[in-house]
Amino acid sequence: LDERVDDALLWELMLQAGPVVNVHIPKDKLTQDHQGYGFVEFNNPSNAEYAIKIMNMIMLYGKPIKVNKAQQLNKTGTIDVGANLFVGNLDPDVDEKTLYDTFSVFGVITGTPKLMRDPETGESRGFGFLSFDCFEASDAAIAAMDGQYICNRSISVTYAIKKGSKGERHGSEAERLLAAKNTTAVRPYGAMYPPGYGAGMPMAPGMMPPPANMGGMPMMPMPGMMMPPANMAGGILPM
C-alpha cells in the first residue's frame, strides 16, 4: 500500500466488495508510518473471496495492491515466523530507536525492538530482542552484525531462546519449513482477516458502519486508482 492510503480509504475501497466489519493498517510505534500493508475483515467469507477476485492487482496511487487471505497473526498484528533475535552487550546509550535504525536495513522488523530495562531506574540492562518477518532478514542480520561495534562496544547477535523451552533457540529447521509453506501469505498488501478475527478492534475516528445494502455494488474508481486490464479482472496473480 502506498503511504497515502489510510484506514478510511482502505475501508471505502474494500466496501465495494461487500460489507466491511473492521479495517486495520499497522503502524510503526516509533515513526507512526505504516509498513505498506493492512487487514480487512468482511462480514462473511464469500465477500472476502469476492474482494480477492476483484481487488487483486488494482493500481492504487501507482502501485498494484496484492490481496489475499491473511496468515495467523501475533498480538501486535504482524506475522510471527520465529525470526526472533537476541542482541547483547549493548552500550547504555543504545535505545530502541538505535536498534531499529541499525537492524531495519536487513528487512522488515515486526513491532518495536524490545530493550530490557531496569524496572526502577529505567536504565538499559545491556540486551534486547527484535523480530523480522522472514528468516532471510534475520540470517543476514546475524551474519553482518554479530561482533560489530555500536557505540564503541562489540555486540552479540544470535537467535533468541524460545519462551518456555529448555534452551532451544529460534531459527530451527522446523520453523523455517513452516515459514516457507506460508511465504505467499507473508506481508500481504491488502489481506483479509479470517472471519471473526478482530471483532473488538476499534473503528478509526470518523468511520461509519457501511449500509446493509452495499454488498456486490459495481466497483467505482477511487482517487489515484486505476482498474486492471480486462483480462486481469478477478485474477489472482502469484506473489
Side-chain angles (χ1 to χ4, degrees):
L1 295 175
D2 185 87
E3 60 184 11
R4 289 169 285 184
V5 177
D6 57 14
D7 288 26
L9 180 58
L10 188 58
W11 181 298
E12 187 176 353
L13 175 63
M14 292 298 168
L15 188 62
Q16 298 182 69
V20 174
V21 177
N22 276 307
V23 170
H24 177 55
I25 300 179
K27 293 183 178 180
D28 184 272
K29 292 183 180 179
L30 294 176
T31 66
Q32 288 302 303
D33 294 329
H34 74 67
Q35 300 176 20
Y37 63 94
F39 303 92
V40 179
E41 179 188 359
F42 285 92
N43 67 332
N44 61 58
S46 61
N47 285 332
E49 294 290 346
Y50 181 60
I52 293 173
K53 291 180 179 179
I54 68 170
M55 297 293 182
N56 190 51
M57 301 307 292
I58 283 177
M59 298 294 291
L60 186 60
Y61 289 117
K63 295 181 180 179
I65 65 172
K66 299 179 182 179
V67 185
N68 57 20
K69 288 187 176 180
Q71 193 179 3
Q72 184 175 359
L73 306 176
N74 62 24
K75 64 181 180 181
T76 65
T78 53
I79 300 167
D80 186 0
V81 298
N84 306 329
L85 301 185
F86 168 86
V87 185
N89 198 36
L90 295 171
D91 185 271
D93 290 335
V94 174
D95 59 11
E96 290 83 355
K97 187 177 188 303
T98 303
L99 285 178
Y100 183 90
D101 291 343
T102 301
F103 285 89
S104 61
V105 299
F106 300 102
V108 175
I109 295 176
T110 60
T112 304
K114 185 177 182 180
L115 186 64
M116 305 308 295
R117 297 180 177 275
D118 184 285
E120 295 183 358
T121 66
E123 294 181 357
S124 170
R125 296 170 59 186
F127 65 95
F129 302 89
L130 57 91
S131 300
F132 287 97
D133 69 342
C134 66
F135 285 105
E136 291 81 4
S138 57
D139 287 343
I142 292 174
M145 295 304 300
D146 186 39
Q148 295 297 316
Y149 284 80
I150 299 180
C151 296
N152 297 318
R153 184 177 290 188
S154 176
I155 66 171
S156 62
V157 184
T158 62
Y159 277 105
I161 295 176
K162 294 181 180 179
K163 291 182 179 180
S165 71
K166 297 181 179 180
E168 182 184 359
R169 294 186 180 274
H170 285 285
S172 66
E173 195 63 31
E175 281 184 321
R176 293 170 184 270
L177 288 173
L178 182 61
K181 290 181 180 180
N182 295 297
T183 51
T184 57
V186 173
R187 289 195 292 130
Y189 281 81
M192 312 298 151
Y193 275 120
Y197 183 91
M201 186 181 299
M203 292 173 60
M207 283 188 176
M208 297 290 291
N213 62 351
M214 287 292 291
M217 287 185 64
M219 234 170 121
M220 302 295 291
M222 306 282 295
M225 174 176 143
M226 293 180 60
M227 301 297 291
N231 62 353
M232 285 179 62
I236 300 179
L237 302 185
M239 295 179 66

